[in-house]
Amino acid sequence: MTTSPILLETSLPGLRPLARGKVRDVYAFGDKLLIVATDRISAFDYILATGIPDKGRVLTQLSLFWFDLLKDLAPTHLISADVADFPAPLPRFRDQLEGRSMLVRRAEMLPVECVARGYLSGSGWKEYRSEGSVCGIPLPPGLRESDKLPEPIFTPATKAQSGHDENISFDLMQEMVGAALAERLRELTLEIYTRASSYAESRGIILADTKFEFGWVGDELILADEVLTPDSSRFWPAETYQPGGPQPSYDKQYVRDYLESIQWNKQPPAPALPEEVARKTSEKYKQAYQALTGKSL
């Protein structure tokens, strides 16, 4: 398993990014976009000064894996992940783009995150403790943190440009996008989650929850952005699963735990990470990729 140089920010002379997100740099080419997953990592809503080796490669390669596995359920925005197929002058920048970039169709993105939950964790657990429900969906009494739900539930959220996304009710989602589209998105989200969680379980991984983004290309509804990665999903190793508390996970929890341990006040500037923390976090991402795909990065 090789490690590539850490990429914190793309530098493509002559090209200006359309946007720089917490992780991705995006460039516009007419009706197409180039999406580059860097090795940046954010925690508590701030981008840290230290990159995570190979994080961008894991996010991209895992999304490509799932796009292929789910292609009969939903069309995607993907055109190609082969740098040789990219428009000029992008092939000249292969050293930055190889393995971590995708050329995609430009879509009109919907203003909601489509979240599927099969287990009680995160913000869902917090709401359940106080309300007995998640996003207005009543759940049986007496559930513990990380318990498997009787059946997967759909819990939409608003997209936040900065800060945390906020859970919303299905009724509010219907007001935002229309009743028919909301129903279609709920059905599709739960269908994809069911397929993905069943596959993950066969690989010894519990898919506790995940979020998807959809958009329109013409009159075609497509699955876009990243799909079923450690940044957009909670993956738990099945062999250590023990409901009644938080679970070990293949994500950046190791970073959050470190930042809590040094009692960072969660105000800028965000601290740098020790090499060991960055390395162990990278290992978590790679372990998720290897467990799910059966391949080394």
Side-chain angles (χ1 to χ4, degrees):
M1 190 177 290
T2 59
T3 299
S4 64
I6 292 176
L7 181 71
L8 288 179
E9 188 173 283
T10 52
S11 176
L12 310 181
L15 298 175
R16 179 178 298 179
L18 176 69
R20 290 196 194 274
K22 289 180 179 176
V23 175
R24 287 167 180 77
D25 292 349
V26 181
Y27 295 81
F29 291 85
D31 61 352
K32 303 177 182 65
L33 296 176
L34 175 74
I35 300 179
V36 187
T38 72
D39 296 321
R40 296 193 294 265
I41 190 166
S42 66
F44 305 113
D45 300 324
Y46 291 99
I47 298 172
L48 305 185
T50 309
I52 304 301
D54 287 322
K55 178 175 179 281
R57 293 171 69 207
V58 168
L59 299 182
T60 301
Q61 296 305 311
L62 203 45
S63 290
L64 293 171
F65 169 80
W66 288 112
F67 282 154
D68 184 62
L69 191 72
L70 302 167
K71 61 189 175 185
D72 62 312
L73 297 182
T76 75
H77 65 167
L78 179 66
I79 296 172
S80 178
D82 185 343
V83 178
D85 296 335
F86 294 177
L90 295 177
R92 296 204 331 249
F93 307 115
R94 179 178 293 272
D95 58 331
Q96 294 182 63
L97 303 179
E98 190 81 71
R100 61 168 74 246
S101 60
M102 294 185 288
L103 187 69
V104 303
R105 294 185 288 167
R106 193 168 187 167
E108 181 184 348
M109 300 301 293
L110 295 172
V112 290
E113 303 269 10
C114 293
V115 182
R117 300 175 188 269
Y119 293 75
L120 193 55
S121 186
S123 63
W125 167 241
K126 291 178 182 176
E127 182 182 335
Y128 173 79
R129 281 189 298 171
S130 61
E131 307 291 338
S133 62
V134 178
C135 289
I137 301 171
L139 295 176
L143 294 177
R144 300 162 296 175
E145 183 177 7
S146 304
D147 262 337
K148 186 174 184 178
L149 299 176
E151 60 182 11
I153 60 175
F154 176 70
T155 61
T158 57
K159 292 182 183 179
Q161 294 303 312
S162 59
H164 291 293
D165 298 337
E166 292 189 8
N167 295 338
I168 59 174
S169 68
F170 186 68
D171 287 344
L172 180 55
M173 178 181 174
Q174 288 180 308
E175 291 178 18
M176 294 173 67
V177 303
L181 180 56
E183 289 285 359
R184 185 178 176 189
L185 290 169
R186 175 166 64 181
E187 180 180 337
L188 186 54
T189 296
L190 292 175
E191 190 176 13
I192 294 172
Y193 173 81
T194 299
R195 165 83 66 83
S197 60
S198 177
Y199 172 81
E201 188 176 344
S202 76
R203 306 292 304 185
I205 300 288
I206 291 171
L207 175 56
D209 55 49
T210 191
K211 66 179 180 179
F212 303 112
E213 293 197 39
F214 295 91
W216 293 106
V217 175
D219 59 359
E220 184 179 38
L221 184 66
I222 57 117
L223 181 61
D225 199 51
E226 64 180 322
V227 174
L228 294 156
T229 73
D231 272 11
S232 66
S233 317
R234 281 189 178 88
F235 292 120
W236 299 336
E239 64 180 5
T240 59
Y241 173 61
Q242 187 66 47
Q247 307 297 305
S249 56
Y250 294 104
D251 61 14
K252 56 189 176 186
Q253 191 59 46
Y254 196 82
V255 170
R256 295 191 196 99
D257 290 345
Y258 166 75
L259 294 173
E260 293 282 17
S261 75
I262 63 171
Q263 299 181 326
W264 174 44
N265 64 4
K266 298 168 189 170
Q267 298 297 318
L273 299 175
E275 182 180 347
E276 180 188 15
V277 173
R279 178 179 56 79
K280 288 190 174 180
T281 302
S282 175
E283 289 172 2
K284 290 285 187 186
Y285 277 78
K286 291 178 180 178
Q287 286 166 5
Y289 176 81
Q290 188 162 16
L292 289 165
T293 68
K295 303 174 183 176
S296 296
L297 190 65

